[in-house]
Amino acid sequence: MDSVTRQTLLSRNEQLINMVIERAKRDFPEDIAVIGLTGSFSTGDYHAKSDLDLIIINNSDRGWGISSCFILDDIGYDIYCTPWETRIEDQANLESPMISCLVDLQILYYARPEDLDKFNSYKQRALDTLAKPVGKECISRASKWIDKAKQEYANTLLSEDLGAVRYAACEVVYNLVNALTNLNNTYFKRGLKRYLEEMGTYRYIPEGFERKFLAVIEAKTMDDIRSTSHVLLKSIIGLYQEMEKEFVVPPVPDFDNLRGTYEELWCNCRNKILASVESADPTYACFAAMGTQNFLNEMTESKGTPRFDLMQYFDSDQLHVFKDQFLQAMEVYLEEYNKAGRPVERYDNFEQLSQQYMKI
């Protein structure tokens, strides 16, 4: 870009910024809290047709009145608002891909000192989280993006036309990119065109990631799009699982965290499974088995109890096999109570229950 074009762009941006700030002061003195610059003009990575990216944080719904979308000399501009409670909150919690809009924002205007203080508190929250070492928190955030990618991968399989399959695959890639960024507890500092370049600097990245990433983008047929999406998805899942084992310390069953869990397993699962098997009702048994597996998985994740894979034993023609395996699992679970020295809360009559319960 030549110097004349560059200066023209910068001069126009200055005019636009002054126009927006003047409007905020005149018409929305209580409604617009902060205005800042982000995007390519903030990083210096702009081109001749780059638009102006302003973050306008509104204190009230009335502040949305400052919004406008227009075309000026063949460049589109979108003047929009960013509420504290949604976008800024998500960015501060690192739940949004747009973290740079918070932590790297160049402040151009603020209505009151308390508005700037509020902004800086959100920014500091994000910076504090980014300063933490890789661990459970960022791995947990990554899992949410991976779950979204799985859903979109299902859409690549279910969709029946090329455009829909390709769109779903792009969603797969987008969500996996965000998962990978969270696994590295970082954020994108530049725009879309720099994503692959920035990811190349990450410490934790699957082997051959760039090749797998581009394979999805360059795939031509629906089958190719699906297969390349699957390969990319599996590579990120594999990295996630490796990092989870390395960085997440699993809980350990103890007297306190086991409280009530065996009794809950008895209450919510045992009699359903016994009744469904006794009645030879495979539908009832299937849903009871699913609920039981879900509960046991949850206990493994939150309490550190042994992992049980009961669903491998479910067979609608041999329900008794599943029942026997479930009862064995209950015995193993009970042993965790015994090791922790926790007795099962079991009563022979109501009087015993009432006496104990009313003491609490």
Side-chain angles (χ1 to χ4, degrees):
M1 185 189 313
D2 61 72
S3 59
V4 173
T5 302
R6 179 179 291 105
Q7 188 55 47
T8 299
L9 277 173
L10 295 177
S11 297
R12 178 180 298 150
N13 283 350
E14 185 176 359
Q15 290 179 303
L16 289 167
I17 289 168
N18 291 335
M19 178 186 75
V20 173
I21 291 176
E22 181 181 349
R23 180 90 193 279
K25 291 179 177 179
R26 187 192 72 186
D27 299 334
F28 305 98
E30 303 295 328
D31 309 290
I32 300 301
V34 173
I35 299 175
L37 177 67
T38 187
S40 58
F41 282 102
S42 175
T43 63
D45 198 21
Y46 56 88
H47 55 78
K49 296 298 181 180
S50 292
D51 64 328
L52 179 67
D53 293 306
L54 295 179
I55 298 298
I56 303 175
I57 304 176
N58 51 321
N59 280 326
S60 70
D61 286 343
R62 187 176 181 277
W64 285 98
I66 202 171
S67 301
S68 181
C69 197
F70 53 86
I71 300 169
L72 175 63
D73 290 342
D74 200 37
I75 300 177
Y77 296 88
D78 187 7
I79 308 300
Y80 63 94
C81 285
T82 300
W84 293 107
E85 298 78 13
T86 53
R87 296 174 186 166
I88 299 298
E89 184 72 26
D90 286 347
Q91 291 163 13
N93 294 332
L94 273 57
E95 298 287 350
S96 164
M98 309 301 292
I99 299 165
S100 65
C101 295
L102 175 63
V103 300
D104 297 326
L105 190 68
Q106 297 181 28
I107 301 298
L108 304 173
Y109 161 84
Y110 58 91
R112 303 168 300 171
E114 49 264 45
D115 291 322
L116 182 60
D117 290 342
K118 184 176 182 179
F119 173 84
N120 284 331
S121 69
Y122 277 104
K123 176 179 177 179
Q124 191 60 50
R125 194 198 312 172
L127 290 172
D128 288 345
T129 303
L130 288 166
K132 295 178 181 178
V134 169
K136 181 177 181 179
E137 191 174 344
C138 64
I139 291 174
S140 177
R141 292 196 307 271
S143 71
K144 299 175 184 178
W145 291 105
I146 291 174
D147 286 343
K148 292 179 181 179
K150 290 177 180 177
Q151 293 171 12
E152 293 302 332
Y153 174 67
N155 286 334
T156 70
L157 302 177
L158 295 169
S159 301
E160 297 181 354
D161 62 85
L162 180 61
V165 172
R166 193 178 298 283
Y167 175 81
C170 287
E171 288 280 2
V172 171
V173 174
Y174 173 76
N175 285 296
L176 291 178
V177 161
N178 288 316
L180 186 59
T181 303
N182 276 279
L183 285 173
N184 285 270
N185 200 33
T186 187
Y187 67 100
F188 288 114
K189 300 170 180 63
R190 305 173 80 177
L192 288 170
K193 61 181 178 290
R194 301 292 184 183
Y195 274 14
L196 193 55
E197 178 183 328
E198 288 197 53
M199 287 187 291
T201 67
Y202 289 175
R203 179 178 180 182
Y204 302 102
I205 192 165
E207 184 177 353
F209 174 77
E210 182 174 343
R211 171 176 50 80
K212 295 169 185 174
F213 176 96
L214 291 174
V216 182
I217 307 299
E218 297 168 356
K220 307 301 182 188
T221 68
M222 288 192 289
D223 285 343
D224 285 345
I225 294 170
R226 290 164 177 154
S227 63
T228 54
S229 297
H230 181 258
V231 169
L232 184 65
L233 176 59
K234 289 286 286 184
S235 72
I236 298 295
I237 291 174
L239 176 65
Y240 168 85
Q241 291 171 340
E242 291 172 6
M243 293 182 67
E244 186 179 37
K245 290 178 182 177
E246 181 177 355
F247 294 107
V248 179
V249 178
V252 177
D254 59 36
F255 184 88
D256 292 322
N257 73 5
L258 284 176
R259 182 176 185 268
T261 59
Y262 178 80
E263 292 85 346
E264 187 175 352
L265 180 62
W266 188 292
C267 169
N268 291 335
C269 305
R270 181 180 183 275
N271 289 337
K272 290 184 178 68
I273 288 176
L274 295 183
S276 64
V277 173
E278 183 178 347
S279 62
D281 185 338
T283 301
Y284 184 14
C286 182
F287 286 118
M290 180 190 71
T292 301
Q293 186 67 67
N294 182 64
F295 176 81
L296 291 171
N297 289 347
E298 183 182 342
M299 292 303 100
T300 300
E301 297 299 322
S302 62
K303 314 297 183 185
T305 54
R307 185 170 298 278
F308 300 96
D309 182 10
L310 290 180
M311 291 303 292
Q312 66 176 308
Y313 300 109
F314 182 85
D315 184 329
S316 60
D317 294 325
Q318 300 185 63
L319 296 178
H320 65 281
V321 173
F322 180 81
K323 181 194 75 170
D324 292 342
Q325 291 295 325
F326 167 73
L327 292 175
Q328 289 181 34
M330 285 201 71
E331 290 298 319
V332 174
Y333 202 102
L334 180 59
E335 185 57 30
E336 294 299 316
Y337 261 49
N338 295 335
K339 288 189 290 187
R342 170 167 284 284
V344 176
E345 292 196 35
R346 189 194 307 269
Y347 305 96
D348 295 327
N349 54 60
F350 178 78
E351 287 72 19
Q352 288 181 358
L353 167 63
S354 178
Q355 183 179 13
Q356 179 63 29
Y357 183 78
M358 297 306 291
K359 279 173 36 180
I360 297 175

